[in-house]
PDB file of all heavy atoms in Angstrom:
ATOM      1  N   SER A 306     -27.556  35.008 -22.979  1.00  0.00           N
ATOM      2  CA  SER A 306     -28.500  33.954 -22.627  1.00  0.00           C
ATOM      3  C   SER A 306     -29.228  34.338 -21.340  1.00  0.00           C
ATOM      4  O   SER A 306     -28.677  34.872 -20.446  1.00  0.00           O
ATOM      5  CB  SER A 306     -27.795  32.614 -22.480  1.00  0.00           C
ATOM      6  OG  SER A 306     -26.877  32.639 -21.324  1.00  0.00           O
ATOM      7  N   GLY A 307     -30.490  33.915 -21.250  1.00  0.00           N
ATOM      8  CA  GLY A 307     -31.277  34.192 -20.059  1.00  0.00           C
ATOM      9  C   GLY A 307     -32.213  35.373 -20.323  1.00  0.00           C
ATOM     10  O   GLY A 307     -33.062  35.678 -19.472  1.00  0.00           O
ATOM     11  N   GLY A 308     -31.970  36.156 -21.315  1.00  0.00           N
ATOM     12  CA  GLY A 308     -32.761  37.368 -21.580  1.00  0.00           C
ATOM     13  C   GLY A 308     -33.913  37.092 -22.524  1.00  0.00           C
ATOM     14  O   GLY A 308     -33.963  35.991 -23.275  1.00  0.00           O
ATOM     15  N   CYS A 310     -37.063  36.011 -24.577  1.00  0.00           N
ATOM     16  CA  CYS A 310     -38.058  34.956 -24.471  1.00  0.00           C
ATOM     17  C   CYS A 310     -37.395  33.585 -24.291  1.00  0.00           C
ATOM     18  O   CYS A 310     -38.025  32.553 -24.468  1.00  0.00           O
ATOM     19  CB  CYS A 310     -38.798  34.910 -25.814  1.00  0.00           C
ATOM     20  SG  CYS A 310     -37.671  34.508 -27.233  1.00  0.00           S
ATOM     21  N   CYS A 311     -36.106  33.568 -23.974  1.00  0.00           N
ATOM     22  CA  CYS A 311     -35.433  32.306 -24.015  1.00  0.00           C
ATOM     23  C   CYS A 311     -35.211  31.565 -22.793  1.00  0.00           C
ATOM     24  O   CYS A 311     -34.207  30.947 -22.575  1.00  0.00           O
ATOM     25  CB  CYS A 311     -34.037  32.564 -24.684  1.00  0.00           C
ATOM     26  SG  CYS A 311     -34.153  33.294 -26.347  1.00  0.00           S
ATOM     27  N   GLY A 312     -36.203  31.507 -21.876  1.00  0.00           N
ATOM     28  CA  GLY A 312     -36.153  30.655 -20.739  1.00  0.00           C
ATOM     29  C   GLY A 312     -35.251  31.113 -19.605  1.00  0.00           C
ATOM     30  O   GLY A 312     -34.852  32.269 -19.542  1.00  0.00           O
ATOM     31  N   PRO A 313     -34.937  30.208 -18.654  1.00  0.00           N
ATOM     32  CA  PRO A 313     -34.226  30.540 -17.404  1.00  0.00           C
ATOM     33  C   PRO A 313     -32.803  30.979 -17.718  1.00  0.00           C
ATOM     34  O   PRO A 313     -32.128  30.652 -18.714  1.00  0.00           O
ATOM     35  CB  PRO A 313     -34.267  29.278 -16.576  1.00  0.00           C
ATOM     36  CG  PRO A 313     -34.390  28.196 -17.590  1.00  0.00           C
ATOM     37  CD  PRO A 313     -35.176  28.726 -18.744  1.00  0.00           C
ATOM     38  N   ALA A 314     -32.201  31.767 -16.783  1.00  0.00           N
ATOM     39  CA  ALA A 314     -30.879  32.213 -16.930  1.00  0.00           C
ATOM     40  C   ALA A 314     -29.838  31.059 -16.799  1.00  0.00           C
ATOM     41  O   ALA A 314     -30.091  30.141 -15.960  1.00  0.00           O
ATOM     42  CB  ALA A 314     -30.572  33.348 -15.949  1.00  0.00           C
ATOM     43  N   ALA A 315     -28.770  31.100 -17.456  1.00  0.00           N
ATOM     44  CA  ALA A 315     -27.736  30.034 -17.461  1.00  0.00           C
ATOM     45  C   ALA A 315     -26.416  30.781 -17.418  1.00  0.00           C
ATOM     46  O   ALA A 315     -26.305  31.940 -17.215  1.00  0.00           O
ATOM     47  CB  ALA A 315     -27.856  29.041 -18.621  1.00  0.00           C
ATOM     48  N   GLN A 316     -25.323  30.019 -17.732  1.00  0.00           N
ATOM     49  CA  GLN A 316     -24.044  30.523 -17.825  1.00  0.00           C
ATOM     50  C   GLN A 316     -23.985  31.615 -18.913  1.00  0.00           C
ATOM     51  O   GLN A 316     -24.511  31.462 -20.033  1.00  0.00           O
ATOM     52  CB  GLN A 316     -22.985  29.461 -18.093  1.00  0.00           C
ATOM     53  CG  GLN A 316     -21.602  29.956 -18.065  1.00  0.00           C
ATOM     54  CD  GLN A 316     -20.545  28.849 -18.346  1.00  0.00           C
ATOM     55  OE1 GLN A 316     -21.032  27.683 -18.538  1.00  0.00           O
ATOM     56  NE2 GLN A 316     -19.287  29.207 -18.380  1.00  0.00           N
ATOM     57  N   ARG A 318     -23.508  33.582 -22.059  1.00  0.00           N
ATOM     58  CA  ARG A 318     -23.209  33.230 -23.431  1.00  0.00           C
ATOM     59  C   ARG A 318     -24.094  33.988 -24.343  1.00  0.00           C
ATOM     60  O   ARG A 318     -25.193  34.422 -24.015  1.00  0.00           O
ATOM     61  CB  ARG A 318     -23.342  31.743 -23.577  1.00  0.00           C
ATOM     62  CG  ARG A 318     -24.754  31.328 -23.329  1.00  0.00           C
ATOM     63  CD  ARG A 318     -24.899  29.818 -23.539  1.00  0.00           C
ATOM     64  NE  ARG A 318     -26.281  29.346 -23.361  1.00  0.00           N
ATOM     65  CZ  ARG A 318     -26.681  28.067 -23.491  1.00  0.00           C
ATOM     66  NH1 ARG A 318     -25.779  27.150 -23.855  1.00  0.00           N
ATOM     67  NH2 ARG A 318     -27.904  27.729 -23.427  1.00  0.00           N
TER      68      ARG A 318
END
Side-chain angles (χ1 to χ4, degrees):
S306 66
C310 65
C311 300
Q316 184 179 2
R318 60 184 184 176

